[in-house]
Amino acid sequence: GGYSCLVEIEALDGKKTKYLFDCGWNYMWMDQCFKREGIDKMLANGEIAAFISTHEHMDHYFGFPVVAKYGPNVTVYRPSTFYPAGKDYMARSGHVGKVIDVTKGLHKIQEGVALYQFECPIIFKVYGVYGGLHISPFDDWDPKYDDLVIGLKKWDLQKVGCNHCTGLITAQKFVDAGYPVVQGTARFRSKTTNYLGNG
């Protein structure tokens, strides 16, 4: 199905704002997941403030027609580095809302919340990391990857959420190294609770 997650931000005054990050790649699967989790209704009711496309990999944005189906007017943030074909694909999906092409650097979207577009491999001071960490997505572990696991210590991460393309071995290495790995439920076919599935 690729990657997609809903993030709810609660401001100091108690106001809650929802953002949808990415939308997988398979239309039928994402449509099913959106219905199962109520994302379809949230988009239709305007409860999601924006759709945020993190990068131009098919498993992150090819499901965009499902987003446009339920929320054709939702504001879209995407990297300015999208190729014309990717931009055209999103436009042909039926989206008619505002599109903001995010350029390199920090972009505030609300008080206390910002997007940061950077060229890999850049890691900056952060509270935590979540997503496909792309260290060993196919569990083809190479001993040199141990340096990456050890090297993350200097960032003093408070939370590590392992999702698709992180790799199961990588997730276990994080646990073994003592990182604060957020546990999943393994309800939707994830092979371990060290891994946060798309449920």
Side-chain angles (χ1 to χ4, degrees):
Y3 174 82
S4 180
C5 76
L6 182 71
V7 174
E8 184 176 82
I9 306 294
E10 184 172 359
L12 293 175
D13 64 3
K15 181 184 176 186
K16 295 180 180 179
T17 309
K18 294 174 183 167
Y19 295 100
L20 181 62
F21 281 77
D22 293 338
C23 54
W25 72 273
N26 181 286
Y27 182 94
M28 290 177 60
W29 175 253
M30 294 313 300
D31 195 40
Q32 176 185 334
C33 291
F34 280 11
K35 287 176 182 175
R36 182 187 73 212
E37 301 298 327
I39 305 298
D40 57 342
K41 290 181 177 63
M42 290 179 209
L43 283 165
N45 295 335
E47 296 173 40
I48 295 175
F51 169 77
I52 298 168
S53 183
T54 61
H55 63 288
E56 196 176 3
H57 280 173
M58 290 191 315
D59 59 331
H60 289 257
Y61 88 100
F62 246 51
F64 188 72
V66 183
V67 175
K69 173 183 175 181
Y70 297 112
N73 294 305
V74 69
T75 297
V76 170
Y77 289 90
R78 69 182 176 206
S80 60
T81 55
F82 256 59
Y83 286 102
K87 291 178 180 179
D88 182 58
Y89 176 78
M90 293 180 88
R92 288 185 294 108
S93 295
H95 180 254
V96 294
K98 184 177 182 180
V99 176
I100 299 166
D101 288 324
V102 179
T103 55
K104 185 177 178 181
L106 188 69
H107 299 270
K108 180 179 173 181
I109 56 175
Q110 74 172 65
E111 195 61 41
V113 180
L115 300 176
Y116 193 94
Q117 181 177 317
F118 54 93
E119 297 172 2
C120 291
I122 295 175
I123 298 176
F124 51 95
K125 184 70 176 167
V126 292
Y127 172 76
V129 293
Y130 171 72
L133 304 178
H134 293 269
I135 293 176
S136 180
F138 303 110
D139 290 329
D140 53 345
W141 195 261
D142 186 309
K144 69 183 177 191
Y145 299 155
D146 286 316
D147 293 339
L148 293 171
V149 172
I150 294 165
L152 286 176
K153 286 275 189 193
K154 67 181 177 184
W155 301 105
D156 193 29
L157 298 172
Q158 303 301 302
K159 300 281 182 188
V160 175
C162 303
N163 198 284
H164 89 295
C165 291
T166 298
L168 299 173
I169 293 173
T170 305
Q172 186 60 50
K173 292 273 188 178
F174 286 153
V175 169
D176 294 344
Y179 288 110
V181 173
V182 178
Q183 296 292 298
T185 64
R187 289 185 303 153
F188 300 109
R189 299 190 298 250
S190 291
K191 294 180 180 177
T192 171
T193 57
N194 295 336
Y195 205 72
L196 298 172
N198 286 331

